[in-house]
Amino acid sequence: KAGVTQTPRYLIKTRGQQVTLSCSPISGHRSVSWYQQTPGQGLQFLFEYFSETQRNKGNFPGRFSGRQFSNSRSEMNVSTLELGDSALYLCASSLGSRGNNEKLFFGSGTQLSVL
Amino acid sequence: KQEVTQIPAALSVPEGENLVLNCSFTDSAIYNLQWFRQDPGKGLTSLLLIQSSQREQTSGRLNASLDKSSGRSTLYIAASQPGDSATYLCAGMNSGYSTLTFGKGTMLLVSP
C-alpha cells in the first residue's frame, strides 16, 4: 500500500512569489491535513480537508490556502512569500473518522526555502 | 486550547540504556495521544497511538503510557540502540478533530 506522497521534495523561491505544494494521501483516506515545521515554532497545524471541504483551520494568515480534489489529493498554496515561510511543510492523511483511533500518516514533506 | 510540552528537549545516552521521554498536555479532553519519530529533514513515522480509554501501548522495545488525569504521557525505550537516535514527538488529538497538537520534541542521541 503506497504511503503519503508529497511533491516536490525541495523548492527554492524568492520573496513575493507564490508556491503550490501537492499531497497524495493513502488510498481510501479522505482527510488531508497540512502542517508547517520550523526550528523555532515546531510543528503547527495549517488546515484540514475532508471530502473537498475545509473542516478545520489553524492560525495562519490568508496567504496560506489549500484545496482538496474529488480523488482526495490536496494542494497547498502560499502567496506573496516571505522569508519566514521557509519551513518543512508536511502533509498527513487519515480516514477522517474523528474517532479516538484516528491515526495520521505523514509524508516526507516539502522543504521550502525563501530567498 | 491544547498545549503540549516535552521534557527534556535533548537527551544523550550510551547504547544499552533504558530511557524515558516525557510529554505533558493541558487539555484532558483528549481523544488519543500519538508518539512519532522524525529523522533529520524527513517526515514523521508513527510509533504508538494510545486511545483515551487506554493506559498504555507497546510495540517491541517501546512502551507508551497515558494518564489523562495528570495530563501526562511517557515513552519508554528499552535497551537503546544507535539507530534509535532521532527526534521523538508526542501529539494530542482532541475530540471532534482529525488534527494533532504537537510538542516540540525530544532530540535523542544514543552513542555506541
Side-chain angles (χ1 to χ4, degrees):
Chain A
K1 196 174 187 181
V4 181
T5 303
Q6 288 189 248
T7 57
R9 183 69 181 90
Y10 300 96
L11 209 48
I12 300 175
K13 292 287 187 179
T14 57
R15 279 182 299 173
Q17 287 187 312
Q18 75 167 19
V19 66
T20 299
L21 312 181
S22 179
C23 173
S24 293
I26 292 170
S27 177
H29 284 189
R30 295 168 67 190
S31 169
V32 173
S33 49
W34 291 88
Y35 293 80
Q36 180 196 66
Q37 186 176 32
T38 59
Q41 298 298 318
L43 273 151
Q44 294 184 287
F45 168 70
L46 281 155
F47 29 65
E48 183 221 358
Y49 286 86
F50 179 82
S51 293
E52 301 179 67
T53 301
Q54 188 180 88
R55 195 163 65 170
N56 196 9
K57 188 177 188 302
N59 190 26
F60 277 81
R63 300 186 297 107
F64 292 81
S65 62
R67 59 178 176 169
Q68 186 180 33
F69 302 96
S70 58
N71 61 358
S72 292
R73 189 178 71 87
S74 176
E75 288 182 347
M76 189 191 102
N77 185 75
V78 188
S79 63
T80 320
L81 284 166
E82 300 176 0
L83 296 179
D85 297 334
S86 294
L88 180 66
Y89 289 89
L90 291 165
C91 159
S93 91
S94 66
L95 292 171
S97 66
R98 292 181 163 182
N100 60 8
N101 199 33
E102 178 80 352
K103 193 172 185 180
L104 268 62
F105 297 85
F106 283 81
S108 297
T110 293
Q111 183 68 55
L112 172 65
S113 297
V114 182
L115 305 178
Chain B
K1 179 190 171 189
Q2 180 72 269
E3 292 183 6
V4 179
T5 305
Q6 290 187 248
I7 295 173
L11 183 62
S12 182
V13 300
E15 182 177 5
E17 270 204 11
N18 303 324
L19 57 99
V20 175
L21 306 182
N22 296 294
C23 171
S24 61
F25 50 92
T26 55
D27 186 351
S28 61
I30 196 166
Y31 252 25
N32 65 48
L33 190 128
Q34 301 181 34
W35 282 92
F36 295 89
R37 167 190 172 133
Q38 186 175 33
D39 293 287
K42 301 289 179 64
L44 276 61
T45 299
S46 179
L47 297 174
L48 290 164
L49 180 152
I50 313 173
Q51 297 178 36
S52 59
S53 57
Q54 299 174 325
R55 295 300 296 268
E56 64 178 73
Q57 280 287 329
T58 298
S59 175
R61 295 182 293 109
L62 304 180
N63 175 276
S65 68
L66 175 64
D67 184 343
K68 286 180 60 178
S69 62
S70 66
R72 292 181 182 178
S73 176
T74 61
L75 179 66
Y76 174 82
I77 301 177
S80 58
Q81 303 171 355
D84 294 331
S85 298
T87 295
Y88 291 80
L89 295 143
C90 74
M93 180 178 288
N94 279 72
S95 59
Y97 295 94
S98 291
T99 58
L100 294 168
T101 301
F102 282 87
K104 293 200 172 180
T106 294
M107 185 182 299
L108 173 66
L109 177 63
V110 182
S111 305

